[in-house]
Amino acid sequence: MNKLTQRFLATSVAVLLAGVSVSAMARGPGGCNGTQDSARAEKMQQHKIDKMAKHQADLKAALKLTAAQEPAWAAFTGTMKAPAASGKNCTSHEEMAKLTTPQRMEKMQAMKGVHDAQMTQRMEATKTFYAALTPEQQKVFDEKSHGKGGHSGGRGHGERGMNHS
């Protein structure tokens, strides 16, 4: 194996492991099997929900939606909600530790597939909602969702979009 391939594999494994960590944190109260400190997890989850609700309220006010746009807004915000953790792709740290490295990677790849499907669903909902906006509203949406200092700004900090906390 050449050095470039080794680096690629090492980077891929690191990204997958980071994804599992983020996935575990995003599961919310109790994680897969209720072993997390549930009071702390519930508080963190509530903070995330409150922050998203405030962002959505601010965005809606800034967009000045018409009555005809309200159904598109409802569909959009409904899709942006974090899905409840499903047990079928959920594995505890103890269970992961019992797996071989290839089995862990397969498990992580399966979880990535679920997350990719969720991202695709959110992207399609965003495109549908965006198409219902006027050009002026689209500018506001672009600024509020990924405005200066956000991911598109290249600095990696500041205001974040709808899918971030």
Side-chain angles (χ1 to χ4, degrees), residues 99-165:
L99 300 175
T100 65
T101 299
Q103 290 170 329
R104 281 192 301 270
M105 291 178 78
E106 287 173 353
K107 192 66 130 168
M108 289 184 285
Q109 188 173 28
M111 288 186 281
K112 181 185 175 297
V114 170
H115 294 143
D116 287 348
Q118 291 168 350
M119 178 56 97
T120 298
Q121 181 183 18
R122 288 176 174 178
M123 178 182 64
E124 293 304 320
T126 301
K127 286 179 180 180
T128 301
F129 177 64
Y130 195 84
L133 299 175
T134 66
E136 293 80 20
Q137 289 171 319
Q138 288 175 352
K139 287 179 187 177
V140 171
F141 185 88
D142 291 340
E143 178 62 29
K144 295 288 185 183
S145 294
H146 296 287
K148 61 184 177 180
H151 292 287
S152 62
R155 291 186 297 276
H157 49 80
E159 284 188 60
R160 293 183 171 216
M162 293 291 291
N163 295 331
H164 304 289
S165 57

Side-chain angles (χ1 to χ4, degrees), residues 4-152:
L4 183 60
T5 303
Q6 288 175 330
R7 286 183 185 166
F8 175 75
L9 287 173
T11 302
S12 297
V13 170
V15 168
L16 286 171
L17 290 173
V20 169
S21 298
V22 169
S23 173
M25 289 187 289
R27 284 187 198 113
C32 296
N33 57 9
T35 59
Q36 281 184 343
D37 174 13
S38 62
R40 180 173 175 242
E42 286 177 25
K43 184 176 179 181
M44 288 172 50
Q45 185 68 13
Q46 189 59 50
H47 174 73
K48 185 176 183 178
I49 290 167
D50 293 346
K51 189 172 181 178
M52 177 168 278
K54 182 183 180 332
H55 178 75
Q56 287 178 349
D58 292 347
L59 179 61
K60 185 177 183 183
L63 288 173
K64 301 175 184 164
L65 299 174
T66 65
Q69 293 171 319
E70 287 293 332
W73 171 259
F76 170 70
T77 56
T79 304
M80 291 300 129
K81 292 179 181 169
S86 66
K88 65 183 175 185
N89 288 313
C90 203
T91 306
S92 71
H93 291 289
E94 294 82 16
E95 291 169 341
M96 286 293 272
K98 293 176 186 174
L99 300 175
T100 65
T101 299
Q103 290 170 329
R104 281 192 301 270
M105 291 178 78
E106 287 173 353
K107 192 66 130 168
M108 289 184 285
Q109 188 173 28
M111 288 186 281
K112 181 185 175 297
V114 170
H115 294 143
D116 287 348
Q118 291 168 350
M119 178 56 97
T120 298
Q121 181 183 18
R122 288 176 174 178
M123 178 182 64
E124 293 304 320
T126 301
K127 286 179 180 180
T128 301
F129 177 64
Y130 195 84
L133 299 175
T134 66
E136 293 80 20
Q137 289 171 319
Q138 288 175 352
K139 287 179 187 177
V140 171
F141 185 88
D142 291 340
E143 178 62 29
K144 295 288 185 183
S145 294
H146 296 287
K148 61 184 177 180
H151 292 287
S152 62

